[in-house]
Amino acid sequence: MKQETQLLVEKGEMLPLMEEFYTIQGEGYHKGTAAYFIRIGGCDVGCHWCDVKESWNAYLHPPTETKKIVENAKKYSDTIVVTGGEPLTWDMTVLTTQLKAEGMQVHIETSGAYKLTGVWDWICLSPKKMKLPTKEVYEKADELKVIVYNKDDFRFAEEQAEKVNKDCILYLQPEWSKREKVVPEIVDYVMKHPKWKVSLQTHKYLNIP
């Protein structure tokens, strides 16, 4: 990457854009809502079950002017979801300021492992054991979404639930490849611990992006 481009990426004026698409939000509190997704490349959290591993290497995704990303997004929807990769790898201030200036609702899906930058209407925190969230993200999260791959994830979920604010909505979501095994365990757990809700990747059942 040229040094000049690198500097613009560091400032958030350009971002490594992996893909952008208009679809239906499939998970969590806003499931069923039409939204425009902006997927930013770059992540070193390293979840072995990640379903977008191609997002990890930021250098595979072209640095794109933030204002171009915003221009594109506003053609489709006034609800924007910024996801990754791990979007907080980069400074989200410029992107979110421009989106908000266009009157958009701006959501983020994040592991919370890095400094919280940007202006957000909704923060979906999906913490990972390998790299825990920052204190600020715990305090500001609107929803906590813990992915359940095995039984130890219930313990981890309770540990994470103690760190978020009292208004944060709590979700347990089956890891897609283990869904047949873990869905009955999640259902049983939520019935015994009703502060939790079940989240499913409904977009995969609907066969949409």
Side-chain angles (χ1 to χ4, degrees), residues 184-197:
E185 293 172 1
I186 292 173
V187 168
D188 186 50
Y189 193 88
V190 169
M191 288 172 78
K192 287 176 182 164
H193 306 86
K195 68 179 181 183
W196 291 94
K197 297 175 189 286

Side-chain angles (χ1 to χ4, degrees), residues 13 30 42 45 57 60 80 86 89 99 118 120 140 153 165 167 181 188-189 203:
E13 291 175 21
H30 291 99
V45 178
N57 185 350
L60 297 178
I80 308 298
E86 173 44 70
T89 303
L99 289 167
W120 306 101
K140 295 198 172 171
D153 293 320
N165 68 78
D167 297 319
K181 181 179 184 296
D188 186 50
Y189 193 88
H203 56 292

Side-chain angles (χ1 to χ4, degrees), residues 88-155:
L88 293 180
T89 303
W90 316 102
D91 189 338
M92 291 284 112
T93 308
V94 174
L95 177 65
T96 56
T97 302
Q98 290 180 3
L99 289 167
K100 291 303 295 172
E102 296 289 346
M104 299 183 191
Q105 287 282 308
V106 189
H107 304 181
I108 186 171
E109 296 180 345
T110 178
S111 69
Y114 296 101
K115 182 183 174 189
L116 182 63
T117 54
V119 185
W120 306 101
D121 295 293
W122 192 266
I123 297 173
C124 172
L125 173 61
S126 186
K128 306 299 184 288
K129 293 174 186 170
M130 302 76 84
K131 217 166 199 178
L132 292 171
T134 65
K135 185 171 182 286
E136 187 185 11
V137 184
Y138 281 126
E139 289 168 355
K140 295 198 172 171
D142 295 289
E143 71 181 285
L144 174 72
K145 184 174 69 188
V146 178
I147 309 302
V148 179
Y149 183 80
N150 57 36
K151 283 208 162 102
D152 185 60
D153 293 320
F154 293 109
R155 174 201 60 78

